[in-house]
């Protein structure tokens, strides 16, 4: 039976980081209630809240994944520790800047702000590298059934793509390049495309409703780490009522379909954002692409469930030699 004490043994640094992020959530909520300061059109404490929730879930999932490694636990431990340390540094900067009433991302207004932003860039590199190492280790594990193994592997792989999308936000806009040449730039990089950061946004998420927003594909891709294992949990929960889901091969097929659909959604939201189009106002091309993904995903799901799994080459427990051995006269 899983208990909190046993969960803390998955990977202590990541679990401590997850607990710290969970503790920061009520602090950020309190800040939203009592601090009415705004920054770039959003409440000053909204960013610490979103990042603390995201990091808590991310760290908890990585810690669980590391507990699945039968070998190379030392390499996994160090990779997880790097992720926890990098995430902690990033959250200290985000929270410090919120207290100061300053932006944490893209802020180069002063030497101090610029150095903090550069340090955050280093933490992102470390986060990506640590997650990459964990993903490579997970590709070698075979401690679970095939569906579970591939849910973990593909979730980590797609998550890396989502983290990489964050690099697109570091590109300076034409206005920022011009200001930088004149030595008066205060911001380098943006998450909005086609409109300045800080315009009208969606509630809770803060994503732009007037232009593209690269935070959307970043979020979609990064949290494949949780989405694909969660898909497998749902399949296992449905298995008692849907006998076909009791077959490991069928579950594996559906996990692969889920990974394909998730990757396609990542590509679609990235394309939409780069075209300067808000998530809430898709054009015909975007709707057509989304419909195509839905149709292909539905067809692949139907085939995954309806096509009978291939019969094993030999009966369970038999070996080739046992199968072909001639009877003794």
């Amino acid at each position: 039976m899983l208990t909190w004490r046993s969960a803390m043994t998955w990977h202590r640094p990541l679990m401590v980081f997850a607990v710290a992020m969970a503790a920061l959530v009520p602090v950020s909520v309190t800040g939203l209630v009592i601090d009415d300061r705004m920054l770039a059109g959003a409440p000053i404490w909204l960013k610490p809240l979103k990042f603390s929730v995201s990091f808590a879930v991310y760290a908890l999932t990585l810690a669980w994944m590391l507990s699945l490694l039968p070998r190379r636990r030392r390499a996994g431990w160090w990779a997880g520790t790097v992720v926890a340390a990098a995430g902690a540094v990033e959250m200290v900067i985000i929270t410090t800047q919120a207290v100061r009433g300053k932006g944490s991302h893209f802020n180069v207004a002063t030497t101090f702000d610029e150095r903090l932003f550069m340090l955050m860039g280093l933490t992102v590199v470390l986060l990506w590298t640590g997650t990459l190492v964990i993903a490579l280790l997970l590709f070698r594990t075979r401690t679970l059934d095939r569906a579970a193994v591939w849910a973990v592997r593909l979730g980590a792989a797609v998550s890396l793509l989502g983290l990489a999308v964050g690099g697109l936000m570091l590109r300076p806009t034409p206005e920022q390049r011009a200001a930088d040449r004149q030595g008066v730039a205060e911001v380098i990089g943006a998450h909005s495309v086609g409109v300045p950061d800080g315009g009208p946004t969606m509630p809770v998420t803060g994503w732009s409703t007037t232009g593209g927003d690269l935070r959307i594909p970043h979020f979609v891709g990064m949290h494949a780490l949780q989405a694909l294992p969660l898909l497998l949990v749902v399949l296992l929960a449905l298995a008692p009522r849907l006998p076909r889901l009791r077959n490991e091969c069928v579950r594996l097929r559906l996990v692969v379909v889920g990974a394909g659909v998730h990757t396609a959604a990542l590509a679609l939201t990235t394309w939409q954002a780069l075209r300067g189009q808000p998530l809430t106002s898709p054009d015909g091309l975007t709707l057509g692409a989304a419909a195509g993904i839905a149709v292909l995903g539905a067809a692949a799901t139907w085939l995954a469930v309806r096509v009978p799994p291939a019969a094993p080459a030999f009966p369970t427990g038999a070996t080739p030699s046992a199968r072909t051995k001639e009877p003794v006269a």
Side-chain angles (χ1 to χ4, degrees), residues 186-274:
E186 295 187 355
V187 176
I188 295 293
H191 49 71
S192 298
V193 179
V195 295
D197 286 348
T201 61
M202 297 171 58
V204 183
T205 62
W207 295 336
S208 176
T209 57
T210 56
D213 199 317
L214 290 165
R215 291 174 297 181
I216 299 171
H218 183 58
F219 175 87
V220 169
M222 195 170 116
H223 290 290
L225 196 70
Q226 294 85 38
L228 293 180
L230 182 60
L231 170 62
L232 181 62
V233 170
V234 172
L235 295 177
L236 291 171
L238 293 174
R241 296 186 178 183
L242 301 174
R244 285 183 180 270
L245 296 183
R246 299 172 193 169
N247 187 285
E248 178 186 308
C249 182
V250 172
R251 294 197 303 272
L252 173 60
R253 292 173 180 172
L254 291 173
V255 165
V256 173
V257 171
V261 171
H262 203 110
T263 304
L266 169 60
L268 177 60
T269 51
T270 303
W271 179 55
Q272 183 181 16
L274 290 174

Side-chain angles (χ1 to χ4, degrees), residues 10-271:
W10 290 344
H11 187 280
R12 189 167 293 275
L14 277 171
M15 291 301 294
V16 170
F17 178 51
V19 170
M21 293 300 96
L24 185 58
V25 170
V27 174
S28 300
V29 171
T30 302
L32 286 172
V33 173
I34 67 175
D35 190 344
D36 59 359
R37 291 179 297 167
M38 304 287 287
L39 181 67
I44 198 75
W45 284 96
L46 182 59
K47 181 174 288 186
L49 175 61
K50 292 193 298 183
F51 271 76
S52 58
V53 172
S54 180
F55 267 135
V57 176
Y58 194 80
L60 186 64
T61 308
L62 274 185
W64 168 71
M65 288 181 171
L66 285 170
S67 73
L68 305 177
L69 294 177
R71 296 181 298 169
R72 293 179 174 83
R73 294 292 295 270
R74 189 172 183 82
W77 188 89
W78 279 109
T81 302
V82 166
V83 170
V89 171
E90 183 165 351
M91 283 307 302
V92 167
I93 295 173
I94 289 173
T95 307
T96 298
Q97 292 293 73
V99 171
R100 297 178 64 228
K102 304 292 184 181
S104 52
H105 290 75
F106 320 125
N107 186 1
V108 295
T110 67
T111 301
F112 180 70
D113 293 325
E114 183 177 7
R115 287 176 178 173
L116 287 181
F117 180 46
M118 291 176 65
L119 181 57
M120 289 183 68
L122 176 60
T123 65
V124 171
V125 172
L126 292 175
L127 278 166
W128 194 90
T129 304
T131 304
L132 173 62
V133 171
I134 293 170
L136 293 175
L137 293 173
L138 289 170
F139 263 81
R140 299 178 63 87
T141 186
R142 290 176 174 80
T143 57
L144 307 171
D145 68 30
R146 290 184 302 160
V149 166
W150 280 100
V152 170
R153 289 172 175 175
L154 295 174
V158 179
S159 178
L160 283 170
L161 295 176
L163 285 170
V165 169
L168 297 175
M169 303 182 203
L170 300 177
R171 301 179 306 167
T173 65
E175 295 78 12
Q176 291 169 355
R177 293 194 196 96
D180 189 41
R181 286 193 293 268
Q182 298 174 12
V184 295
E186 295 187 355
V187 176
I188 295 293
H191 49 71
S192 298
V193 179
V195 295
D197 286 348
T201 61
M202 297 171 58
V204 183
T205 62
W207 295 336
S208 176
T209 57
T210 56
D213 199 317
L214 290 165
R215 291 174 297 181
I216 299 171
H218 183 58
F219 175 87
V220 169
M222 195 170 116
H223 290 290
L225 196 70
Q226 294 85 38
L228 293 180
L230 182 60
L231 170 62
L232 181 62
V233 170
V234 172
L235 295 177
L236 291 171
L238 293 174
R241 296 186 178 183
L242 301 174
R244 285 183 180 270
L245 296 183
R246 299 172 193 169
N247 187 285
E248 178 186 308
C249 182
V250 172
R251 294 197 303 272
L252 173 60
R253 292 173 180 172
L254 291 173
V255 165
V256 173
V257 171
V261 171
H262 203 110
T263 304
L266 169 60
L268 177 60
T269 51
T270 303
W271 179 55

Side-chain angles (χ1 to χ4, degrees), residues 251-319:
R251 294 197 303 272
L252 173 60
R253 292 173 180 172
L254 291 173
V255 165
V256 173
V257 171
V261 171
H262 203 110
T263 304
L266 169 60
L268 177 60
T269 51
T270 303
W271 179 55
Q272 183 181 16
L274 290 174
R275 290 160 58 219
Q277 185 180 112
L279 182 69
T280 52
S281 303
D283 63 8
L285 283 174
T286 302
L287 290 174
I293 293 172
V295 169
L296 290 175
T301 299
W302 185 86
L303 288 173
V305 173
R306 299 304 301 175
V307 175
F314 303 104
T316 302
T319 63

